[in-house]
Coordinates of all heavy atoms in Angstrom, one line a residue:
M290 N 41.8 -9.7 -24.9 CA 41.1 -8.5 -25.3 C 39.9 -8.3 -24.4 O 39.2 -9.2 -23.9 CB 40.6 -8.8 -26.7 CG 40.1 -7.6 -27.4 SD 40.4 -7.9 -29.2 CE 39.6 -6.7 -29.9
W291 N 39.6 -7.0 -24.1 CA 38.6 -6.6 -23.1 C 37.2 -6.9 -23.6 O 36.3 -7.0 -22.8 CB 38.7 -5.2 -22.6 CG 38.7 -4.2 -23.7 CD1 39.7 -3.8 -24.5 CD2 37.6 -3.5 -24.2 NE1 39.3 -2.8 -25.4 CE2 38.0 -2.6 -25.2 CE3 36.2 -3.4 -23.8 CZ2 37.1 -1.8 -25.9 CZ3 35.4 -2.6 -24.4 CH2 35.8 -1.8 -25.5
M292 N 37.0 -7.0 -24.9 CA 35.6 -7.3 -25.4 C 35.2 -8.7 -25.2 O 34.0 -9.1 -25.3 CB 35.5 -6.9 -26.9 CG 35.6 -5.4 -27.1 SD 35.6 -5.0 -28.9 CE 33.8 -5.3 -29.2
K293 N 36.1 -9.6 -24.8 CA 35.8 -11.0 -24.6 C 35.6 -11.3 -23.1 O 35.3 -12.4 -22.7 CB 36.9 -11.9 -25.2 CG 36.9 -11.9 -26.7 CD 38.0 -12.9 -27.2 CE 38.0 -12.9 -28.7 NZ 39.0 -13.8 -29.2
K294 N 35.8 -10.3 -22.3 CA 35.6 -10.5 -20.8 C 34.2 -10.6 -20.5 O 33.3 -10.1 -21.2 CB 36.2 -9.3 -20.1 CG 37.6 -9.0 -20.4 CD 38.5 -9.7 -19.4 CE 39.9 -9.4 -19.7 NZ 40.9 -10.0 -18.9
N295 N 33.9 -11.4 -19.4 CA 32.5 -11.6 -19.0 C 31.8 -10.3 -18.5 O 30.6 -10.2 -18.8 CB 32.5 -12.6 -17.8 CG 32.8 -14.0 -18.3 OD1 32.6 -14.3 -19.5 ND2 33.2 -14.9 -17.4
W296 N 32.5 -9.4 -17.9 CA 31.9 -8.2 -17.4 C 31.4 -7.4 -18.6 O 30.3 -6.7 -18.6 CB 32.7 -7.4 -16.5 CG 34.0 -6.9 -17.1 CD1 35.2 -7.5 -17.2 CD2 34.2 -5.7 -17.9 NE1 36.1 -6.7 -17.8 CE2 35.5 -5.6 -18.3 CE3 33.3 -4.6 -18.2 CZ2 36.0 -4.5 -19.0 CZ3 33.8 -3.5 -18.9 CH2 35.2 -3.5 -19.3
F297 N 32.1 -7.4 -19.7 CA 31.8 -6.6 -20.9 C 30.6 -7.2 -21.6 O 29.6 -6.5 -22.0 CB 32.9 -6.5 -21.9 CG 32.6 -5.6 -23.0 CD1 32.6 -4.2 -22.9 CD2 32.3 -6.2 -24.3 CE1 32.3 -3.4 -24.0 CE2 32.0 -5.4 -25.4 CZ 32.0 -4.0 -25.2
K298 N 30.5 -8.6 -21.6 CA 29.4 -9.2 -22.2 C 28.1 -9.0 -21.4 O 27.0 -8.7 -22.0 CB 29.6 -10.7 -22.3 CG 30.7 -11.1 -23.3 CD 30.9 -12.6 -23.3 CE 32.1 -13.0 -24.2 NZ 32.3 -14.5 -24.2
L299 N 28.3 -9.0 -20.1 CA 27.1 -8.7 -19.2 C 26.7 -7.2 -19.4 O 25.5 -7.0 -19.5 CB 27.5 -9.0 -17.8 CG 26.4 -8.8 -16.7 CD1 25.3 -9.8 -17.0 CD2 27.0 -8.9 -15.3
L300 N 27.6 -6.3 -19.5 CA 27.2 -4.9 -19.7 C 26.5 -4.7 -21.0 O 25.5 -4.0 -21.1 CB 28.5 -4.1 -19.7 CG 28.3 -2.6 -19.9 CD1 27.6 -2.0 -18.7 CD2 29.6 -1.9 -20.1
V301 N 27.0 -5.3 -22.1 CA 26.3 -5.2 -23.4 C 24.9 -5.8 -23.3 O 23.9 -5.3 -23.8 CB 27.2 -5.9 -24.5 CG1 26.3 -6.1 -25.8 CG2 28.4 -5.2 -24.7
W302 N 24.8 -7.0 -22.6 CA 23.5 -7.6 -22.5 C 22.5 -6.7 -21.7 O 21.3 -6.5 -22.1 CB 23.6 -8.9 -21.8 CG 22.3 -9.7 -21.6 CD1 21.7 -10.4 -22.6 CD2 21.5 -9.7 -20.5 NE1 20.6 -10.9 -22.1 CE2 20.4 -10.5 -20.8 CE3 21.6 -9.1 -19.2 CZ2 19.4 -10.7 -19.9 CZ3 20.6 -9.4 -18.3 CH2 19.5 -10.2 -18.6
I303 N 23.0 -6.0 -20.6 CA 22.1 -5.2 -19.9 C 21.7 -3.9 -20.7 O 20.6 -3.5 -20.6 CB 22.8 -4.8 -18.5 CG1 22.9 -6.0 -17.6 CG2 22.1 -3.6 -17.8 CD1 23.7 -5.8 -16.4
V304 N 22.6 -3.3 -21.4 CA 22.4 -2.1 -22.1 C 21.4 -2.4 -23.3 O 20.4 -1.7 -23.5 CB 23.7 -1.5 -22.7 CG1 23.4 -0.4 -23.7 CG2 24.5 -1.0 -21.6
T305 N 21.6 -3.5 -24.0 CA 20.7 -3.8 -25.1 C 19.3 -4.2 -24.6 O 18.3 -3.8 -25.2 CB 21.2 -5.0 -25.9 OG1 21.5 -6.1 -25.1 CG2 22.5 -4.6 -26.7
T306 N 19.2 -4.9 -23.5 CA 17.9 -5.2 -22.9 C 17.2 -3.9 -22.4 O 16.0 -3.8 -22.7 CB 18.1 -6.2 -21.7 OG1 18.8 -7.3 -22.1 CG2 16.8 -6.6 -21.1
S307 N 17.9 -3.0 -21.8 CA 17.2 -1.8 -21.3 C 16.8 -0.9 -22.5 O 15.7 -0.3 -22.5 CB 18.2 -1.0 -20.4 OG 19.3 -0.6 -21.1
F308 N 17.6 -0.9 -23.6 CA 17.1 -0.2 -24.8 C 15.9 -0.8 -25.4 O 15.0 -0.1 -25.9 CB 18.3 -0.1 -25.8 CG 19.2 1.1 -25.5 CD1 20.5 0.9 -25.3 CD2 18.7 2.4 -25.5 CE1 21.4 1.9 -25.1 CE2 19.6 3.4 -25.2 CZ 20.9 3.2 -25.0
F309 N 15.8 -2.1 -25.4 CA 14.7 -2.8 -26.0 C 13.4 -2.5 -25.2 O 12.4 -2.1 -25.7 CB 14.9 -4.3 -26.0 CG 13.6 -5.1 -26.2 CD1 13.2 -5.2 -27.5 CD2 13.0 -5.7 -25.2 CE1 12.0 -5.9 -27.8 CE2 11.8 -6.5 -25.5 CZ 11.3 -6.5 -26.8
Y310 N 13.5 -2.5 -23.8 CA 12.3 -2.2 -23.0 C 12.0 -0.7 -23.1 O 10.8 -0.4 -23.1 CB 12.6 -2.6 -21.5 CG 12.4 -4.1 -21.4 CD1 13.5 -4.9 -21.0 CD2 11.2 -4.7 -21.5 CE1 13.3 -6.2 -20.8 CE2 11.0 -6.0 -21.4 CZ 12.1 -6.8 -21.0 OH 12.0 -8.1 -20.8
A311 N 13.0 0.2 -23.2 CA 12.7 1.6 -23.4 C 12.0 1.8 -24.7 O 11.0 2.6 -24.8 CB 14.0 2.4 -23.3
F312 N 12.4 1.2 -25.8 CA 11.8 1.3 -27.1 C 10.4 0.8 -27.1 O 9.5 1.4 -27.6 CB 12.7 0.6 -28.2 CG 12.1 0.7 -29.5 CD1 12.2 2.0 -30.2 CD2 11.6 -0.4 -30.2 CE1 11.7 2.1 -31.5 CE2 11.1 -0.2 -31.5 CZ 11.1 1.0 -32.1
A313 N 10.2 -0.4 -26.4 CA 8.8 -0.9 -26.3 C 7.9 0.0 -25.5 O 6.7 0.2 -25.9 CB 8.9 -2.3 -25.7
A314 N 8.4 0.6 -24.5 CA 7.6 1.5 -23.7 C 7.2 2.7 -24.5 O 6.1 3.2 -24.4 CB 8.3 1.9 -22.4
I315 N 8.1 3.3 -25.3 CA 7.9 4.4 -26.1 C 6.8 4.1 -27.1 O 5.9 4.8 -27.4 CB 9.2 4.9 -26.7 CG1 10.1 5.6 -25.6 CG2 8.9 6.0 -27.8 CD1 11.4 5.9 -26.2
L316 N 6.9 2.9 -27.8 CA 6.0 2.5 -28.8 C 4.6 2.4 -28.2 O 3.6 2.8 -28.7 CB 6.4 1.3 -29.5 CG 7.5 1.4 -30.5 CD1 7.8 0.0 -31.1 CD2 7.1 2.3 -31.6
I317 N 4.5 1.7 -27.1 CA 3.2 1.5 -26.4 C 2.6 2.8 -26.0 O 1.4 3.1 -26.2 CB 3.4 0.6 -25.2 CG1 3.7 -0.8 -25.6 CG2 2.1 0.6 -24.3 CD1 4.1 -1.8 -24.5
S318 N 3.4 3.7 -25.5 CA 2.8 5.0 -25.0 C 2.4 5.9 -26.2 O 1.5 6.7 -26.1 CB 3.8 5.8 -24.2 OG 5.0 6.1 -24.9
M319 N 3.1 5.7 -27.4 CA 2.7 6.5 -28.6 C 1.5 6.0 -29.2 O 0.7 6.8 -29.7 CB 3.9 6.5 -29.5 CG 5.0 7.4 -29.2 SD 6.4 7.4 -30.3 CE 5.7 7.7 -31.9
F320 N 1.3 4.7 -29.3 CA 0.2 4.2 -30.1 C -1.0 3.7 -29.2 O -2.0 3.3 -29.8 CB 0.6 3.0 -30.9 CG 1.6 3.5 -32.0 CD1 2.9 3.1 -32.0 CD2 1.2 4.3 -33.0 CE1 3.8 3.5 -32.9 CE2 2.1 4.7 -34.0 CZ 3.4 4.3 -33.9
R321 N -0.9 3.9 -27.9 CA -2.0 3.5 -27.0 C -2.9 4.7 -26.8 O -2.4 5.7 -26.3 CB -1.5 2.9 -25.7 CG -2.5 2.7 -24.7 CD -3.5 1.6 -24.9 NE -4.3 1.4 -23.8 CZ -5.6 1.4 -23.9 NH1 -6.2 1.5 -25.0 NH2 -6.4 1.2 -22.8
F322 N -4.1 4.6 -27.1 CA -5.0 5.7 -26.8 C -5.5 5.7 -25.4 O -5.5 4.6 -24.7 CB -6.2 5.7 -27.8 CG -5.8 5.8 -29.2 CD1 -5.8 4.7 -30.1 CD2 -5.3 7.0 -29.7 CE1 -5.4 4.8 -31.4 CE2 -4.9 7.1 -31.0 CZ -5.0 6.0 -31.9
G323 N -6.0 6.8 -24.9 CA -6.4 6.9 -23.5 C -7.7 6.1 -23.3 O -8.3 5.6 -24.3
P324 N -8.1 5.9 -22.1 CA -9.3 5.1 -21.9 C -10.6 5.9 -22.4 O -10.6 7.1 -22.4 CB -9.4 5.0 -20.3 CG -8.6 6.1 -19.8 CD -7.5 6.4 -20.9
T325 N -11.6 5.2 -22.7 CA -12.8 5.8 -23.2 C -13.6 6.3 -22.0 O -13.2 6.0 -20.8 CB -13.7 4.8 -24.0 OG1 -14.1 3.8 -23.0 CG2 -12.9 4.2 -25.1
E326 N -14.6 7.1 -22.3 CA -15.4 7.7 -21.2 C -16.1 6.5 -20.4 O -16.2 6.6 -19.2 CB -16.4 8.6 -21.8 CG -17.3 9.3 -20.7 CD -18.2 10.3 -21.3 OE1 -18.2 10.6 -22.5 OE2 -19.1 10.8 -20.5
Q327 N -16.5 5.5 -21.1 CA -17.2 4.4 -20.5 C -16.2 3.6 -19.6 O -16.6 3.2 -18.4 CB -17.8 3.4 -21.5 CG -18.6 2.3 -20.9 CD -19.8 2.7 -20.1 OE1 -20.4 3.7 -20.5 NE2 -20.1 1.9 -19.1
E328 N -15.0 3.4 -20.0 CA -14.0 2.8 -19.2 C -13.7 3.6 -17.9 O -13.5 3.1 -16.8 CB -12.7 2.5 -20.0 CG -12.8 1.5 -21.0 CD -11.6 1.4 -21.9 OE1 -10.8 2.4 -22.0 OE2 -11.4 0.3 -22.5
T329 N -13.6 4.9 -18.1 CA -13.3 5.8 -17.0 C -14.5 5.7 -15.9 O -14.2 5.7 -14.7 CB -13.1 7.2 -17.4 OG1 -12.0 7.2 -18.4 CG2 -12.7 8.1 -16.3
M330 N -15.7 5.8 -16.4 CA -16.8 5.8 -15.5 C -16.9 4.4 -14.8 O -17.2 4.4 -13.6 CB -18.1 6.0 -16.3 CG -18.2 7.5 -16.8 SD -18.1 8.7 -15.5 CE -19.6 8.5 -14.7
S331 N -16.6 3.4 -15.5 CA -16.7 2.0 -14.9 C -15.6 1.9 -13.8 O -15.8 1.4 -12.7 CB -16.4 1.0 -16.0 OG -16.3 -0.3 -15.4
F332 N -14.4 2.5 -14.1 CA -13.3 2.5 -13.1 C -13.8 3.3 -11.8 O -13.6 2.8 -10.7 CB -12.1 3.0 -13.7 CG -10.9 3.2 -12.7 CD1 -10.2 2.1 -12.3 CD2 -10.6 4.4 -12.2 CE1 -9.2 2.2 -11.4 CE2 -9.6 4.6 -11.3 CZ -8.9 3.5 -10.9
M333 N -14.3 4.5 -12.1 CA -14.7 5.3 -10.9 C -15.9 4.7 -10.1 O -15.9 4.8 -8.9 CB -15.2 6.7 -11.5 CG -14.1 7.5 -12.0 SD -12.7 7.8 -10.9 CE -13.4 8.9 -9.8
M334 N -16.8 4.0 -10.8 CA -17.9 3.3 -10.0 C -17.3 2.2 -9.2 O -17.7 2.0 -8.0 CB -18.9 2.7 -11.0 CG -19.7 3.8 -11.8 SD -20.8 4.7 -10.7 CE -22.0 3.4 -10.5
G335 N -16.3 1.4 -9.7 CA -15.7 0.4 -9.0 C -14.9 1.0 -7.8 O -14.9 0.4 -6.7
M336 N -14.2 2.1 -8.0 CA -13.5 2.7 -6.8 C -14.5 3.2 -5.7 O -14.2 3.0 -4.6 CB -12.7 3.9 -7.4 CG -11.5 3.5 -8.2 SD -10.4 2.4 -7.3 CE -9.6 3.6 -6.2
M337 N -15.6 3.7 -6.1 CA -16.6 4.2 -5.2 C -17.2 3.0 -4.4 O -17.4 3.1 -3.2 CB -17.7 5.0 -5.8 CG -17.3 6.3 -6.4 SD -16.6 7.4 -5.2 CE -18.1 7.9 -4.4
K338 N -17.5 1.9 -5.1 CA -18.0 0.7 -4.4 C -17.0 0.1 -3.5 O -17.3 -0.3 -2.4 CB -18.4 -0.3 -5.5 CG -19.1 -1.5 -4.9 CD -19.6 -2.4 -5.9 CE -20.9 -1.8 -6.4 NZ -21.6 -2.7 -7.3
A339 N -15.7 0.1 -3.9 CA -14.6 -0.4 -3.0 C -14.4 0.6 -1.8 O -14.1 0.1 -0.7 CB -13.3 -0.5 -3.8
M340 N -14.6 1.8 -2.0 CA -14.5 2.8 -0.9 C -15.6 2.6 0.2 O -15.3 2.7 1.4 CB -14.5 4.2 -1.3 CG -14.1 5.2 -0.3 SD -14.4 6.9 -0.6 CE -13.6 7.1 -2.1
E341 N -16.8 2.2 -0.2 CA -17.8 1.9 0.7 C -17.5 0.8 1.7 O -17.9 0.8 2.8 CB -19.1 1.6 0.0 CG -19.7 2.8 -0.7 CD -20.9 2.5 -1.5 OE1 -21.3 1.3 -1.5 OE2 -21.5 3.4 -2.2
T342 N -16.8 -0.2 1.2 CA -16.5 -1.3 2.1 C -15.1 -1.2 2.7 O -14.7 -2.2 3.4 CB -16.6 -2.6 1.2 OG1 -15.7 -2.6 0.1 CG2 -18.0 -2.9 0.8
S343 N -14.4 -0.2 2.5 CA -13.0 0.0 3.0 C -13.1 0.6 4.4 O -14.2 1.0 4.9 CB -12.2 0.8 2.1 OG -12.6 2.2 2.1
L344 N -12.0 0.8 5.0 CA -11.9 1.4 6.4 C -12.4 2.9 6.3 O -13.0 3.4 7.2 CB -10.6 1.3 7.0 CG -10.2 -0.1 7.5 CD1 -8.8 -0.1 8.0 CD2 -11.1 -0.6 8.6
M345 N -12.0 3.5 5.2 CA -12.4 4.9 5.1 C -13.9 5.1 4.9 O -14.5 5.9 5.5 CB -11.7 5.6 3.9 CG -11.9 7.0 3.8 SD -10.9 7.9 2.6 CE -11.4 7.2 1.1
G346 N -14.5 4.2 4.2 CA -16.0 4.2 4.0 C -16.7 3.8 5.3 O -17.7 4.4 5.7
L347 N -16.1 2.9 6.1 CA -16.6 2.5 7.4 C -16.6 3.7 8.3 O -17.5 4.0 9.1 CB -15.9 1.3 7.9 CG -16.4 0.8 9.3 CD1 -17.8 0.3 9.2 CD2 -15.5 -0.3 9.8
S348 N -15.4 4.4 8.3 CA -15.3 5.6 9.2 C -16.3 6.7 8.8 O -16.8 7.4 9.7 CB -13.9 6.1 9.2 OG -13.5 6.6 8.0
M349 N -16.6 6.8 7.6 CA -17.5 7.8 7.2 C -18.9 7.4 7.7 O -19.7 8.3 8.0 CB -17.5 8.0 5.6 CG -16.3 8.7 5.1 SD -16.1 8.6 3.3 CE -17.6 9.4 2.8
Q350 N -19.3 6.1 7.7 CA -20.6 5.7 8.1 C -20.6 5.9 9.7 O -21.7 6.2 10.2 CB -20.8 4.2 7.8 CG -21.0 4.1 6.3 CD -21.1 2.6 5.9 OE1 -21.0 1.7 6.7 NE2 -21.3 2.4 4.6
V351 N -19.5 5.6 10.4 CA -19.5 5.8 11.8 C -19.7 7.3 12.2 O -20.4 7.6 13.1 CB -18.1 5.3 12.4 CG1 -17.9 5.7 13.8 CG2 -18.1 3.8 12.3
K352 N -19.1 8.1 11.3 CA -19.2 9.6 11.6 C -20.7 10.0 11.5 O -21.1 11.0 12.2 CB -18.4 10.3 10.6 CG -18.2 11.8 10.8 CD -17.3 12.4 9.8 CE -17.1 13.8 10.0 NZ -16.2 14.4 9.0
E353 N -21.5 9.4 10.7 CA -22.9 9.8 10.5 C -23.9 9.2 11.5 O -24.9 9.6 11.7 CB -23.3 9.5 9.1 CG -22.5 10.3 8.0 CD -22.8 9.9 6.6 OE1 -23.6 9.0 6.5 OE2 -22.2 10.5 5.7
D354 N -23.5 8.0 12.1 CA -24.4 7.3 12.9 C -24.2 7.6 14.4 O -23.1 7.3 14.9 CB -24.2 5.8 12.7 CG -25.3 4.9 13.3 OD1 -26.2 5.5 13.9 OD2 -25.2 3.7 13.0
A355 N -25.2 8.2 15.0 CA -25.1 8.6 16.4 C -25.0 7.4 17.4 O -24.2 7.5 18.4 CB -26.3 9.5 16.8
N356 N -25.6 6.3 17.1 CA -25.6 5.1 18.0 C -24.2 4.5 18.0 O -23.7 4.2 19.0 CB -26.6 4.1 17.5 CG -28.0 4.5 17.8 OD1 -28.3 5.3 18.7 ND2 -28.9 4.1 17.0
V357 N -23.6 4.5 16.8 CA -22.2 3.9 16.7 C -21.2 4.8 17.4 O -20.3 4.4 18.0 CB -21.8 3.6 15.2 CG1 -20.4 3.1 15.1 CG2 -22.8 2.6 14.6
Q358 N -21.4 6.1 17.2 CA -20.5 7.1 17.9 C -20.6 6.9 19.4 O -19.6 7.0 20.1 CB -20.9 8.5 17.5 CG -20.4 9.0 16.2 CD -20.8 10.4 15.9 OE1 -21.6 11.0 16.6 NE2 -20.2 10.9 14.9
W359 N -21.8 6.7 19.9 CA -22.0 6.5 21.4 C -21.3 5.3 21.8 O -20.6 5.2 22.8 CB -23.5 6.5 21.7 CG -23.7 6.1 23.1 CD1 -23.7 7.0 24.2 CD2 -24.0 4.8 23.7 NE1 -23.9 6.3 25.4 CE2 -24.2 5.0 25.0 CE3 -24.2 3.6 23.1 CZ2 -24.4 3.9 25.9 CZ3 -24.5 2.5 23.9 CH2 -24.6 2.7 25.3
L360 N -21.4 4.2 21.0 CA -20.8 2.9 21.3 C -19.3 3.0 21.3 O -18.6 2.5 22.2 CB -21.2 1.8 20.3 CG -20.7 0.4 20.6 CD1 -21.3 -0.1 21.9 CD2 -21.1 -0.5 19.4
V361 N -18.7 3.8 20.4 CA -17.3 4.0 20.3 C -16.8 4.7 21.5 O -15.8 4.4 22.1 CB -16.9 4.6 19.0 CG1 -15.4 5.1 19.0 CG2 -17.1 3.7 17.8
Y362 N -17.6 5.8 21.9 CA -17.2 6.6 23.0 C -17.2 5.8 24.3 O -16.3 5.9 25.1 CB -18.2 7.8 23.1 CG -18.0 8.7 24.3 CD1 -16.9 9.5 24.4 CD2 -18.8 8.6 25.4 CE1 -16.7 10.3 25.5 CE2 -18.6 9.3 26.6 CZ -17.6 10.2 26.6 OH -17.4 11.0 27.7
E363 N -18.2 5.0 24.5 CA -18.3 4.2 25.7 C -17.3 3.1 25.8 O -16.7 2.8 26.8 CB -19.7 3.5 25.8 CG -20.8 4.5 26.1 CD -20.7 5.1 27.4 OE1 -20.3 4.5 28.4 OE2 -21.1 6.3 27.5
S364 N -16.9 2.5 24.6 CA -15.9 1.5 24.6 C -14.5 2.1 24.9 O -13.7 1.5 25.6 CB -15.9 0.7 23.3 OG -15.6 1.6 22.2
V365 N -14.3 3.3 24.4 CA -13.0 4.0 24.7 C -13.0 4.3 26.2 O -11.9 4.1 26.9 CB -12.8 5.2 23.9 CG1 -11.7 6.1 24.4 CG2 -12.6 4.9 22.4
Q366 N -14.1 4.8 26.8 CA -14.1 5.1 28.2 C -13.8 3.8 29.1 O -13.3 3.9 30.2 CB -15.4 5.7 28.6 CG -15.7 7.0 27.9 CD -14.7 8.1 28.4 OE1 -14.3 8.1 29.5 NE2 -14.3 8.9 27.4
F367 N -14.2 2.7 28.6 CA -14.1 1.4 29.3 C -12.6 0.9 29.1 O -12.0 0.3 30.0 CB -15.1 0.4 28.8 CG -15.1 -0.9 29.5 CD1 -15.4 -1.0 30.9 CD2 -14.6 -2.0 28.9 CE1 -15.4 -2.2 31.5 CE2 -14.6 -3.2 29.6 CZ -15.0 -3.3 30.9
A368 N -12.1 1.1 27.8 CA -10.8 0.5 27.5 C -9.6 1.2 28.1 O -8.6 0.6 28.5 CB -10.6 0.4 26.0
L369 N -9.7 2.5 28.3 CA -8.5 3.3 28.8 C -8.2 2.9 30.2 O -7.0 2.7 30.5 CB -8.8 4.7 28.6 CG -8.7 5.3 27.2 CD1 -9.0 6.8 27.2 CD2 -7.4 5.0 26.5
P370 N -9.1 2.8 31.1 CA -8.7 2.3 32.5 C -8.2 0.9 32.5 O -7.2 0.6 33.2 CB -10.0 2.4 33.3 CG -10.9 3.3 32.5 CD -10.5 3.2 31.1
L371 N -8.8 0.0 31.7 CA -8.3 -1.4 31.6 C -6.8 -1.4 31.0 O -6.0 -2.2 31.5 CB -9.2 -2.2 30.7 CG -10.5 -2.6 31.2 CD1 -11.3 -3.4 30.2 CD2 -10.3 -3.4 32.5
L372 N -6.5 -0.5 30.1 CA -5.2 -0.4 29.6 C -4.2 0.1 30.7 O -3.1 -0.5 30.8 CB -5.2 0.5 28.3 CG -3.8 0.7 27.7 CD1 -3.3 -0.6 27.1 CD2 -4.0 1.8 26.6
A373 N -4.6 1.1 31.4 CA -3.8 1.6 32.5 C -3.5 0.5 33.5 O -2.4 0.3 34.0 CB -4.4 2.8 33.1
I374 N -4.6 -0.2 33.9 CA -4.5 -1.3 34.9 C -3.5 -2.4 34.4 O -2.7 -2.9 35.1 CB -5.8 -1.9 35.3 CG1 -6.6 -0.8 36.0 CG2 -5.7 -3.2 36.0 CD1 -8.1 -1.2 36.2
S375 N -3.7 -2.8 33.1 CA -2.8 -3.8 32.6 C -1.3 -3.4 32.5 O -0.4 -4.2 32.8 CB -3.3 -4.3 31.2 OG -3.2 -3.3 30.3
I376 N -1.1 -2.2 32.2 CA 0.3 -1.6 32.2 C 0.9 -1.6 33.6 O 2.0 -2.1 33.8 CB 0.3 -0.3 31.5 CG1 0.1 -0.4 30.0 CG2 1.7 0.4 31.8 CD1 -0.1 1.0 29.3
A377 N 0.1 -1.2 34.5 CA 0.5 -1.2 35.9 C 0.8 -2.6 36.4 O 1.8 -2.8 37.1 CB -0.5 -0.4 36.8
G378 N -0.1 -3.5 36.1 CA 0.1 -4.9 36.5 C 1.4 -5.5 35.8 O 2.1 -6.2 36.5
G379 N 1.6 -5.2 34.6 CA 2.8 -5.7 33.9 C 4.1 -5.2 34.5 O 5.1 -5.9 34.7
V380 N 4.1 -3.9 34.9 CA 5.2 -3.2 35.6 C 5.4 -3.9 36.9 O 6.6 -4.2 37.3 CB 5.1 -1.7 35.7 CG1 6.1 -1.1 36.6 CG2 5.1 -1.1 34.3
Y381 N 4.3 -4.1 37.7 CA 4.4 -4.8 39.0 C 5.0 -6.2 38.9 O 5.9 -6.5 39.7 CB 3.0 -4.8 39.6 CG 3.0 -5.5 41.0 CD1 3.5 -4.9 42.1 CD2 2.5 -6.8 41.1 CE1 3.5 -5.6 43.3 CE2 2.4 -7.4 42.3 CZ 3.0 -6.9 43.4 OH 3.0 -7.5 44.6
V382 N 4.5 -7.0 38.0 CA 5.0 -8.3 37.8 C 6.5 -8.3 37.4 O 7.3 -9.1 37.9 CB 4.2 -9.1 36.8 CG1 4.8 -10.4 36.4 CG2 2.8 -9.4 37.3
R383 N 6.8 -7.4 36.5 CA 8.2 -7.3 36.1 C 9.2 -6.9 37.2 O 10.3 -7.5 37.4 CB 8.3 -6.3 35.0 CG 9.6 -6.1 34.4 CD 10.0 -7.2 33.5 NE 11.2 -6.9 32.8 CZ 11.9 -7.8 32.2 NH1 11.5 -9.0 32.0 NH2 13.1 -7.5 31.6
C384 N 8.7 -6.0 38.0 CA 9.6 -5.5 39.2 C 9.6 -6.6 40.3 O 10.7 -6.7 40.9 CB 9.0 -4.3 39.8 SG 9.2 -2.8 38.7
R385 N 8.6 -7.4 40.4 CA 8.6 -8.4 41.5 C 9.5 -9.6 41.1 O 10.1 -10.2 42.0 CB 7.2 -9.0 41.7 CG 6.2 -8.0 42.3 CD 6.3 -8.0 43.8 NE 5.9 -9.2 44.3 CZ 6.1 -9.6 45.6 NH1 6.8 -8.9 46.3 NH2 5.7 -10.8 46.0
R386 N 9.7 -9.9 39.8 CA 10.5 -11.0 39.4 C 12.0 -10.7 39.4 O 12.8 -11.5 39.5 CB 10.1 -11.4 38.0 CG 8.9 -12.2 37.8 CD 8.9 -12.8 36.5 NE 7.6 -13.2 36.1 CZ 7.2 -13.6 34.9 NH1 8.1 -13.6 33.9 NH2 6.0 -14.0 34.7
K387 N 12.3 -9.4 39.3 CA 13.7 -8.9 39.2 C 14.5 -9.6 38.1 O 15.7 -10.1 38.3 CB 14.4 -9.2 40.6 CG 13.8 -8.6 41.7 CD 14.1 -7.1 41.8 CE 13.5 -6.6 43.1 NZ 13.7 -5.2 43.2
V388 N 13.9 -9.7 37.0 CA 14.5 -10.4 35.8 C 15.2 -9.4 34.9 O 14.9 -8.3 34.7 CB 13.5 -11.2 35.0 CG1 14.2 -11.8 33.8 CG2 12.9 -12.3 35.8

């Protein structure tokens, strides 16, 4: 009989488990109230504090600081020729080895 097969037992187990989780999610969403104003404000304050120390916050600080902008500009002017020289050197070494 097909109801005693392993694949059918597995299918029944998956279906009943998924219905249980769907029912639990519906119950939680129906009876859980939204966050309070204090919880929302606390969350937003934490996000703002995290943004200050993230890369986006750092880039915003770089955008406002003239000295750091000058330093970034000078370092880029120095790094691009070094990058070109290293690429040319790598191509030269690769061509000389004939590997």
Side-chain angles (χ1 to χ4, degrees):
M290 190 153 170
W291 58 274
M292 292 179 73
K293 292 184 179 181
K294 303 272 183 181
N295 285 337
W296 64 266
F297 185 77
K298 291 177 184 179
L299 182 65
L300 180 69
V301 168
W302 183 81
I303 289 172
V304 169
T305 54
T306 306
S307 63
F308 276 121
F309 169 75
Y310 283 115
F312 182 69
I315 290 169
L316 284 179
I317 289 171
S318 66
M319 282 177 54
F320 294 113
R321 168 74 174 125
F322 298 107
T325 63
E326 184 178 352
Q327 182 63 31
E328 290 173 337
T329 305
M330 291 304 289
S331 174
F332 174 77
M333 292 303 289
M334 292 291 286
M336 290 300 288
M337 292 300 286
K338 187 174 280 190
M340 190 191 304
E341 289 175 3
T342 58
S343 70
L344 287 176
M345 188 168 66
L347 180 64
S348 67
M349 290 170 59
Q350 291 173 1
V351 167
K352 190 176 177 183
E353 296 172 0
D354 193 355
N356 291 330
V357 176
Q358 281 183 349
W359 175 79
L360 183 65
V361 168
Y362 176 76
E363 290 296 324
S364 63
V365 166
Q366 295 299 321
F367 184 69
L369 287 180
L371 286 178
L372 181 64
I374 290 169
S375 66
I376 289 172
V380 169
Y381 175 75
V382 168
R383 182 75 175 167
C384 290
R385 293 276 291 163
R386 282 195 200 169
K387 302 281 185 186
V388 175

